[in-house]
């Protein structure tokens, strides 16, 4: 670790992993509720479990992005963080606000929570993924502003690289677009229109900038390839992400009451959305193929390569699968959407956060460059368990979705929603089994931080001959 | 992905041709089915005279394309013939098969393209032959 202030990343990473475990727990609860409808009812109704599952995902990824920024920005800017103290204070503010919000979801009926937190003064609650009480949203804005001030000043006063500028652009976009969560018009079409400016433009817009910059940073470190080469790739990837992703928002406007031209715009631009992920996969493997050194942290390299592949599959292929308007006419809101959502979030964002944690954590815990071989082997097991089970979760949900579309929306005698749910329950059983395997993988991941602590670090890097 | 034999390091021409072969393989799967395959066959017509890296990639791209032909329209057509188009199970199996296989073949193409860009042999299972 080159700068002392990089240490503030550690609590962010620890919190991220803890909340990740919470998210998976609620995912399992819901997986059971799909099959046993009254499981844990009325203590944890399905809608509450779902809200906690998705909100925890967003919060822990934000913790991961912040930790990643606090780790990589000083190294890129070649100076200490502007204010490590502010980073520590914001950590606790964000953690406490997040924990109180989850406790609120679980302990108080949602309508009461809205009343209790003054939602009637500035109504923002009640919308998918943005269920947080208004006061929590204000807290998120405060944390984001403090975070941007801290990271932004560090970059502006230090060395400006493509990586830290792309990262800063992504983070600033994340903060600015979140402000649309405060706009809650009565007109349902307008509401949905701008709601997607937060949800879509985060995950298919500015978050891709954050993903690209973290991936580029880790690849420079583990491969030793020239920064100039990696930066050129990064430019291409983020340009393609923004060109396709911004107007690609149109694939959410097909059936919400917006003009018909969105069906063309949304279909054409979102059909091109796999391109940045396509480029990212070629980029990551090309850099590793051209590596100038063997980094001892093989687990981090595996996560980096895995991110590119799984992001391509989840966000690229499974996104394309149901993005054309004539296909989406049948598939919207079915289990095909769930299949895409699971693999895309895991492949693009969960894995990139785990990549930077895998790369940075050994240094943050006092190692020179990597964990012991034993620890890395367990971590790589966790990679395969989580990744393969996520592939199966996606395939089972896709199977369920295809059958659902056929029985509920396509056949000559369409069946009611709940009747179809009974018919596709086999897929839900299989998905639950895959979910349990994923949980075992997560357990192995957490255990990898504790095994082999007393053993020597994996072997140091050595030069490898460069081809051509 | 193994390194190219040290005594047979590819030159720029070899790499360029290897990249073209893999790009045509991907184009055949993604945007220009048939046409890109014809272009690949045309590119491969003077295989013996090209650098060794390019030979391996041309072969691998051709073999992978033929497998794609068998696995995608081949198996899908067979499935429809056997099970019929009216059963929901046919559609479910068909879509899952085509999506998974197509994705796997594209993914191989991405790794092969990355290997070609770095001057390396194609990844398994289609490694290509090196002769001469």
């Amino acid at each position: 670790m080159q700068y002392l202030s990089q240490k503030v990343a550690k609590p962010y990473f620890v919190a991220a992993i803890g909340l990740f475990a919470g998210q998976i727990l609620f995912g399992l609860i819901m997986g059971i509720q799909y099959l046993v409808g009254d499981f844990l009812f009325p203590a944890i109704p399905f809608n509450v479990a779902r809200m906690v599952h998705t909100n925890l995902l967003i919060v822990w990824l934000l913790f991961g992005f912040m930790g990643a920024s606090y780790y990589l920005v000083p190294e890129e800017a070649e100076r200490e963080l502007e204010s490590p103290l502010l980073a520590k204070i914001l950590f606790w503010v964000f953690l406490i606000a997040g924990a109180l919000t989850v406790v609120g979801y679980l302990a108080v009926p949602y309508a009461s929570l809205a009343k209790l937190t003054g939602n009637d003064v500035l109504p923002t609650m009640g919308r998918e993924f943005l269920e947080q009480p208004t006061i929590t949203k204000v807290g998120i804005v405060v944390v984001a502003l403090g975070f941007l001030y801290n990271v932004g000043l560090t970059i502006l006063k230090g060395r400006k690289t493509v990586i830290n500028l792309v990262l800063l652009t992504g983070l600033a976009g994340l903060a600015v677009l979140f402000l649309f969560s405060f706009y809650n018009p009565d007109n349902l079409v307008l509401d949905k229109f701008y709601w997607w400016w937060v949800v879509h433009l985060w995950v298919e817009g500015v978050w891709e900038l954050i993903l690209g910059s973290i991936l580029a940073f880790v690849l420079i470190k583990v491969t030793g390839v020239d920064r100039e080469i990696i930066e050129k790739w990064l430019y291409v990837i983020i340009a393609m992400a923004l060109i396709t992703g911004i107007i690609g928002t149109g694939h959410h406007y097909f059936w919400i009451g917006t003009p018909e031209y969105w069906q063309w715009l949304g279909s054409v631009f979102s059909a091109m959305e796999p391109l940045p992920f396509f480029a990212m996969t070629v980029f990551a493997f090309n850099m590793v193929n051209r590596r100038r050194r063997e980094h001892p942290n093989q687990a981090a390299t595996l996560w980096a390569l895995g991110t590119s592949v799984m992001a391509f599959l989840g966000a690229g292929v499974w996104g394309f699968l149901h993005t054309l308007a004539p296909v989406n006419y049948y598939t919207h809101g079915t289990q095909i959407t769930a299949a895409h959502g699971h693999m895309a979030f895991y492949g693009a964002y969960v894995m990139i956060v785990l990549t930077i944690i895998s790369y940075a954590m050994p240094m943050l815990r006092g190692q020179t460059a990597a964990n012991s071989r034993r620890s890395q082997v367990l971590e790589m097991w966790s990679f395969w368990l989580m990744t393969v089970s996520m592939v199966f979760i996606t395939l089972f949900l896709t199977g369920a979705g295809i059958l659902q579309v056929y029985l509920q929306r396509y056949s000559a005698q369409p069946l009611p929603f709940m009747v179809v749910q009974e018919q596709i329950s086999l897929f839900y059983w299989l998905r639950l089994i895959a979910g349990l395997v994923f949980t075992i993988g997560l357990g192995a991941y957490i255990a990898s931080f504790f095994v082999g602590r007393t053993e020597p670090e994996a072997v140091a890097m050595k030069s490898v001959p460069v081809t051509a | 992905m193994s390194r190219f034999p040290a005594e047979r390091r590819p030159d720029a021409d070899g790499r360029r041709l290897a990249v073209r072969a893999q790009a045509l393989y991907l184009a055949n799967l993604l945007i220009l089915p048939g046409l890109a395959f014809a272009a690949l066959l045309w590119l491969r017509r003077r295989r013996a005279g090209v650098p060794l890296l390019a030979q391996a990639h041309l072969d691998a791209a051709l073999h992978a394309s033929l497998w794609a032909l068998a696995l995608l329209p081949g198996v899908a057509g067979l499935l429809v013939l056997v099970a019929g188009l009216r059963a929901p199970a046919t559609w479910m199996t068909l879509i899952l098969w085509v999506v998974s296989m197509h994705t796997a073949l594209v993914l191989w193409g991405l790794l092969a393209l990355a290997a070609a860009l770095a001057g390396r042999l194609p990844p398994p299972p289609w490694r290509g032959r090196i002769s001469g």
Side-chain angles (χ1 to χ4, degrees), chain A residues 155-344:
Chain A
I155 293 171
L156 293 176
K157 287 183 180 174
R159 181 178 66 144
K160 289 150 198 77
T161 65
V162 175
I163 288 177
N164 62 21
L165 289 176
V166 168
L167 179 70
L168 186 61
T169 310
L171 295 170
L174 185 156
V176 169
L177 290 166
F178 184 70
L179 296 178
F180 285 96
S181 70
F182 289 92
Y183 181 54
N184 191 9
D186 290 334
N187 181 314
L188 201 57
V189 177
L190 276 180
D191 174 26
K192 279 285 177 194
F193 190 92
Y194 289 106
W195 177 79
W196 284 115
W197 284 29
V198 186
V199 178
H200 172 93
L201 290 179
W202 264 19
V203 296
E204 289 169 64
V206 291
W207 283 27
E208 286 183 35
L209 272 56
I210 299 169
L211 158 65
S213 54
I214 298 174
L215 187 63
F217 173 79
V218 173
L219 285 173
I220 285 178
K221 299 294 174 184
V222 299
T223 65
V225 171
D226 288 344
R227 175 178 287 274
E228 290 71 26
I229 297 174
I230 287 186
E231 287 178 346
K232 277 178 199 157
W233 276 92
L234 184 57
Y235 274 132
V236 172
I237 288 167
I238 63 157
M240 285 199 287
L242 292 178
I243 290 166
T244 60
I246 292 175
I247 301 181
T249 317
H251 62 223
H252 300 292
Y253 295 163
F254 294 161
W255 327 115
I256 63 165
T258 48
E260 215 169 307
Y261 56 75
W262 280 113
Q263 291 183 19
W264 280 99
L265 283 176
S267 296
V268 170
F269 278 85
S270 56
M272 294 188 288
E273 277 191 60
L275 288 176
F277 295 102
F278 184 97
M280 207 179 286
T281 309
V282 178
F283 159 61
F285 278 86
N286 190 21
M287 293 309 109
V288 172
N289 282 338
R290 290 170 164 216
R291 67 190 177 276
R292 290 174 183 277
R293 62 172 171 244
E294 294 290 347
H295 198 280
N297 193 341
Q298 291 183 358
T301 313
L302 181 65
W303 282 111
L305 290 175
T307 300
S308 67
V309 171
M310 292 299 287
F312 171 67
L313 296 183
V317 178
W318 257 257
F320 178 76
L321 191 64
H322 62 147
T323 204
L324 301 176
V327 176
N328 194 266
Y329 179 74
Y330 291 100
T331 61
H332 69 277
T334 64
Q335 291 297 339
I336 290 176
T337 312
H340 161 59
H342 277 80
M343 203 192 239

Side-chain angles (χ1 to χ4, degrees), chain B residues 1-112:
Chain B
M1 240 172 282
S2 64
R3 207 163 284 277
F4 204 74
E7 70 282 8
R8 292 175 172 179
R9 290 272 159 79
D11 57 10
D13 277 352
R15 254 209 335 251
R16 206 172 301 130
L17 204 52
V19 169
R20 258 184 230 162
Q22 295 303 347
L24 285 172
Y25 165 77
L26 283 168
N28 183 45
L29 281 177
L30 295 170
I31 43 172
L32 292 169
L35 276 179
F37 183 68
L40 178 64
L41 287 177
W42 184 81
L43 197 66
R44 200 178 169 275
R45 72 198 186 287
R46 273 187 244 138
R47 179 191 172 279
V50 303
L52 297 180
L53 176 78
Q55 277 185 14
H57 277 276
L58 282 166
D59 277 359
L62 179 71
H63 292 158
S65 300
L66 293 173
W67 270 98
L69 192 68
L71 290 170
L72 295 171
V75 173
L78 202 66
L79 188 72
V80 171
L81 274 178
V82 173
L85 268 177
R86 292 200 176 268
T90 308
W91 283 100
M92 199 194 59
T93 318
L94 189 68
I95 295 172
L96 271 180
W97 172 263
V98 170
V99 170
S100 308
M101 276 304 127
H102 187 256
T103 305
L105 289 161
V106 170
L107 207 51
W108 180 85
L110 290 176
L111 304 191

Side-chain angles (χ1 to χ4, degrees), chain A residues 64-74 81 147 151 167 171 210 214:
Chain A
F65 291 162
M66 289 184 194
S69 308
Y70 287 135
Y71 186 84
L72 75 82
V73 163
L81 195 64
F147 167 71
V151 168
L167 179 70
L171 295 170
I210 299 169
I214 298 174

